[in-house]
Amino acid sequence: MRASNWGMIWTAVMPLAVILYYFFRKKYKDQQVSSTLFWQERMRELQASPYLKKLQHHLLFYLQLAALLFCVLALIEPFSESETLAGNDFIFVVDTSATMLAGAPTHFEQQQQNMKNLAAQAGGKPVTIVTTGISPKVVIRNEQDLEQVDKAIDQLAVSFEKAEIEQTILFADTLAVNDSTIIHIFTDSLDRSVFANKTGQSYHIHGFTETLRNVSIRQFGLSKMDNGTRGIVQLVNNSEEALPATVRLSSGSVEKEVDVELAASEERLVPFEDLPDDMLWQATVEVADDYSTDNTMATYLAPPVREVAIESALHELIASGFRSLSLDVTLLESSQLKPDSGVPLVTNQRDLLEGPTPILLFGRNDENPFKVAGQIETKGHPLFTYASLDEIYVSQLYPPFESYETIATIDDHPFIQVSPKGDIVVLTDVQLTDWPLSPSFPLFLWSAMESLSGDAEFLGYFQPNEHRSVSLASKTGEWEIFREGMYSHSYIEGSGPFIAPAEPGIYKVVGDEKEMTMIVQLNSQEKTLSAGSTYKMGQVEAVQDMVRFSFVPFLIGLILLLVVVEWEVYRRGITTR
């Protein structure tokens, strides 16, 4: 503790004067009394205690003395100094990627504590917190209340997304007020090359130098063989030491496991033969490493189809629409179309509907069209989730199929139908409508391919928090997402893109009486740990500032309290006389 006004030390004579007053004040008066009374008074004088002992009975004296001493102390203005962070305001960039869960305690927990320590040193200067990810988020902006900053830090959570830290730094640069803004980056490791062309701001990178042990499942795939299903698990030992591990594949009640010994930095393929023909499998590696998030991976046996065969006699706008979806398009003559090829076919051949191959039928080769007029009306179906047909003009339609479900009509005439095995029938030719000129046409083709080539019970693979357009339609318009029987969140149709859950794993998407499976997988970059460091980049660091904390307000409060107590002691003394 230091003082900034030593000139007021002379006021210390005031408590000294009170002490002298109590020491030398008159205790007894001389007066004439009878001999007996004189003798008693004399004995009391001889038995009196020394001056200091007498003072023990003088509470009022002590209170006055203490109040005066605190007054003197307040007048010399005592204070304490502590270092504060360099800069006028601060931006905390927080890495919330999955690798921050490595270590014990985790890197994320350690960085939360580091952020609290630095916020306490900010000395009331503004603090902004930004989290990383595909879409960086501002948690708090220019907050000066330390309690609110600590609360925001406690509420931070790992999002499992790819960090995209360079993009987040660019975003943080736009939030900087001026050159005095210091950007603190809390991550596990960050290469210096990221700041090669950055000179406008000062960056303080807080990383970890420790090297952790990690074994990850880099890839997991299934393929159907003549004698059953074969699975392959790719293991990577991202460590500097050999580690024993157990690889386990499970599907329902079926489990198979293999013990392996992984050398330092080794990559190994672990095969599993003669697996049952189950669709959904999960691979797990049991190993004594420091990062368990990448020790599990799931896969679904039915892969999505990425090609389509189109009858060359159809209008070329159909092929152009499919090519815009980045699909492999094959044009075939009518005689070359194979009903058992397994590749979705786009044709007008009515006979091909009887085969096992999924069909998208445009028009009919066995009927003649008739004229129609009116607006298109659609039912709730995944094909129309993103393809609106409101402004489409159709001049003619073909007769419908009696046993097919109608999902779109024009003047009560069937326009689009779905067969019992899932084939899609559009009862018009492309040249009889202006549909290809509408943005909804390629969206409809995409939805049709998802319906024809995908598994009706599998929604797809997603990355954590991924935003994606999916074909979901139900009567209620609401889908609930569950993991291991526990409710996660809901998705409302039409409320925006479908957002995948944050944590990797297997999820169930339930709507009405329909249930689908989705798999959330880590980005491959989140399966590798690397040692980092703590360093500073950018502008030359400013001189460390000092912040003063004055004790005067506390002393004034204490003096007022003593005055109140002193008054109460004085009042009680008067009333007892």
Side-chain angles (χ1 to χ4, degrees):
M1 185 180 71
R2 301 169 61 184
S4 59
N5 193 7
W6 282 109
M8 299 300 294
I9 193 64
W10 66 269
T11 56
V13 301
M14 292 188 294
L16 181 60
V18 172
I19 295 174
L20 293 175
Y21 167 75
Y22 271 88
F23 274 164
F24 295 103
R25 71 174 182 172
K26 192 173 183 180
K27 300 297 187 300
Y28 298 102
K29 293 181 179 180
D30 293 331
Q31 63 182 21
Q32 298 294 327
V33 295
S34 64
S35 59
T36 302
L37 295 177
F38 175 80
W39 180 254
Q40 292 175 352
E41 190 73 16
R42 183 60 178 171
M43 292 301 296
R44 291 193 191 99
E45 187 72 21
L46 293 175
Q47 295 172 357
S49 300
Y51 287 112
L52 293 179
K53 190 173 181 179
K54 289 182 178 180
L55 293 178
Q56 294 176 2
H57 304 288
H58 293 34
L59 180 58
L60 191 60
F61 163 74
Y62 286 119
L63 292 173
Q64 293 172 346
L65 184 62
L68 285 172
L69 288 175
F70 284 130
C71 282
V72 173
L73 193 59
L75 289 172
I76 64 175
E77 299 179 13
F79 64 89
S80 65
E81 282 187 336
S82 63
E83 292 184 348
T84 184
L85 293 180
N88 291 330
D89 59 288
F90 313 99
I91 299 176
F92 290 176
V93 175
V94 188
D95 186 351
T96 58
S97 61
T99 54
M100 293 294 288
L101 293 176
T106 66
H107 287 169
F108 190 76
E109 292 171 341
Q110 295 181 56
Q111 293 291 32
Q112 281 181 302
Q113 187 59 49
N114 291 338
M115 283 186 281
K116 288 184 177 181
N117 294 339
L118 289 179
Q121 299 177 31
K125 298 175 183 177
V127 175
T128 299
I129 298 179
V130 179
T131 57
T132 63
I134 299 175
S135 300
K137 298 178 181 178
V138 177
V139 180
I140 55 173
R141 182 74 183 274
N142 294 332
E143 182 60 61
Q144 295 179 268
D145 187 345
L146 180 59
E147 184 177 346
Q148 293 299 321
V149 174
D150 286 346
K151 182 179 179 181
I153 293 173
D154 287 332
Q155 292 176 348
L156 293 175
V158 173
S159 65
F160 296 92
E161 294 181 45
K162 181 182 174 184
E164 299 290 354
I165 199 156
E166 293 186 46
Q167 173 182 317
T168 307
I169 292 174
L170 291 175
F171 176 71
D173 288 340
T174 65
L175 301 177
V177 177
N178 48 47
D179 292 344
S180 65
T181 300
I182 310 298
I183 299 178
H184 292 263
I185 302 172
F186 300 88
T187 181
D188 45 7
S189 63
L190 185 60
D191 194 89
R192 293 174 182 264
S193 61
V194 174
F195 306 95
N197 299 319
K198 294 183 180 295
T199 57
Q201 298 296 148
S202 179
Y203 304 92
H204 294 191
I205 294 81
H206 307 267
F208 295 90
T209 58
E210 59 182 341
T211 301
L212 301 178
R213 298 173 300 174
N214 181 41
V215 173
S216 65
I217 299 178
R218 192 61 54 87
Q219 297 291 339
F220 173 36
L222 297 172
S223 61
K224 280 199 171 184
M225 312 296 289
D226 295 337
N227 56 348
T229 302
R230 186 172 190 255
I232 297 179
V233 180
Q234 181 188 19
L235 293 181
V236 178
N237 184 9
N238 184 217
S239 310
E240 298 178 353
E241 59 181 281
L243 291 173
T246 299
V247 186
R248 179 177 292 106
L249 257 60
S250 60
S251 178
S253 60
V254 179
E255 281 193 2
K256 285 195 174 184
E257 64 179 42
V258 174
D259 295 328
V260 296
E261 181 75 24
L262 297 172
S265 304
E266 180 186 2
E267 296 185 14
R268 181 183 298 187
L269 297 178
V270 182
F272 289 82
E273 307 290 347
D274 302 328
L275 297 174
D277 290 334
D278 294 339
M279 306 300 289
L280 182 63
W281 287 84
Q282 182 169 275
T284 304
V285 57
E286 296 180 357
V287 62
D289 63 358
D290 299 309
Y291 180 46
S292 60
T293 308
D294 60 356
N295 290 358
T296 303
M297 191 173 183
T299 191
Y300 199 82
L301 184 57
V305 177
R306 294 301 180 188
E307 58 180 321
V308 60
I310 302 176
E311 184 179 354
S312 58
L314 297 179
H315 199 284
E316 63 181 7
L317 288 176
I318 296 178
S320 299
F322 279 108
R323 289 192 183 99
S324 69
L325 303 176
S326 301
L327 296 177
D328 295 331
V329 177
T330 303
L331 297 178
L332 300 174
E333 298 293 334
S334 299
S335 59
Q336 296 176 317
L337 298 176
K338 298 178 180 180
D340 58 351
S341 64
V343 177
L345 300 179
V346 183
T347 179
N348 66 353
Q349 303 294 316
R350 187 249 182 273
D351 296 339
L352 293 177
L353 291 171
E354 307 300 330
T357 297
I359 300 294
L360 173 58
L361 197 74
F362 269 96
R364 294 181 63 171
N365 66 336
D366 61 336
E367 296 283 354
N368 294 320
F370 59 91
K371 292 184 179 180
V372 294
Q375 295 291 326
I376 299 176
E377 296 182 3
T378 60
K379 295 183 179 180
H381 194 276
L383 288 175
F384 308 128
T385 303
Y386 303 102
S388 174
L389 308 185
D390 293 339
E391 304 297 329
I392 305 303
Y393 169 75
V394 179
S395 62
Q396 298 183 53
L397 290 177
Y398 286 92
F401 294 88
E402 295 297 332
S403 60
Y404 289 9
E405 178 190 2
T406 299
I407 60 175
T409 61
I410 300 177
D411 196 20
D412 293 331
H413 296 288
F415 171 41
I416 300 177
Q417 293 183 303
V418 178
S419 73
K421 74 180 183 68
D423 294 330
I424 301 171
V425 178
V426 180
L427 296 169
T428 190
D429 293 326
V430 170
Q431 56 268 30
L432 300 177
T433 174
D434 63 353
W435 195 6
L437 303 179
S438 171
S440 67
F441 185 67
L443 293 175
F444 174 82
L445 296 181
W446 173 80
S447 298
M449 281 299 297
E450 288 289 315
S451 177
L452 294 174
S453 63
D455 191 312
E457 297 181 354
F458 184 59
L459 188 59
Y461 296 94
F462 295 79
Q463 292 191 6
N465 295 312
E466 179 180 354
H467 292 52
R468 185 193 298 181
S469 297
V470 295
S471 298
L472 289 175
S474 64
K475 295 180 180 179
T476 60
E478 181 178 1
W479 295 81
E480 294 181 332
I481 293 89
F482 294 85
R483 184 186 184 191
E484 297 179 353
M486 300 295 293
Y487 173 79
S488 173
H489 62 283
S490 296
Y491 168 67
I492 306 299
E493 297 172 20
S495 61
F498 181 82
I499 303 176
E503 191 169 352
I506 302 171
Y507 292 83
K508 296 293 183 182
V509 183
V510 181
D512 292 340
E513 297 180 355
K514 187 176 181 181
E515 181 177 299
M516 306 177 73
T517 300
M518 66 178 294
I519 296 176
V520 180
Q521 294 181 340
L522 276 181
N523 186 285
S524 57
Q525 294 187 11
E526 297 303 309
K527 299 182 179 182
T528 303
L529 301 181
S530 57
S533 60
T534 298
Y535 56 93
K536 300 174 182 178
M537 298 291 291
Q539 295 179 340
V540 178
E541 184 183 2
V543 179
Q544 196 83 352
D545 295 331
M546 302 294 293
V547 61
R548 284 188 176 186
F549 297 95
S550 176
F551 294 105
V552 173
F554 303 99
L555 292 174
I556 292 175
L558 190 57
I559 292 170
L560 293 176
L561 178 62
L562 289 174
V563 170
V564 172
V565 175
E566 182 180 340
W567 168 252
E568 180 63 17
V569 171
Y570 177 74
R571 186 186 65 81
R572 288 175 177 269
I574 292 177
T575 56
T576 56
R577 290 181 181 179

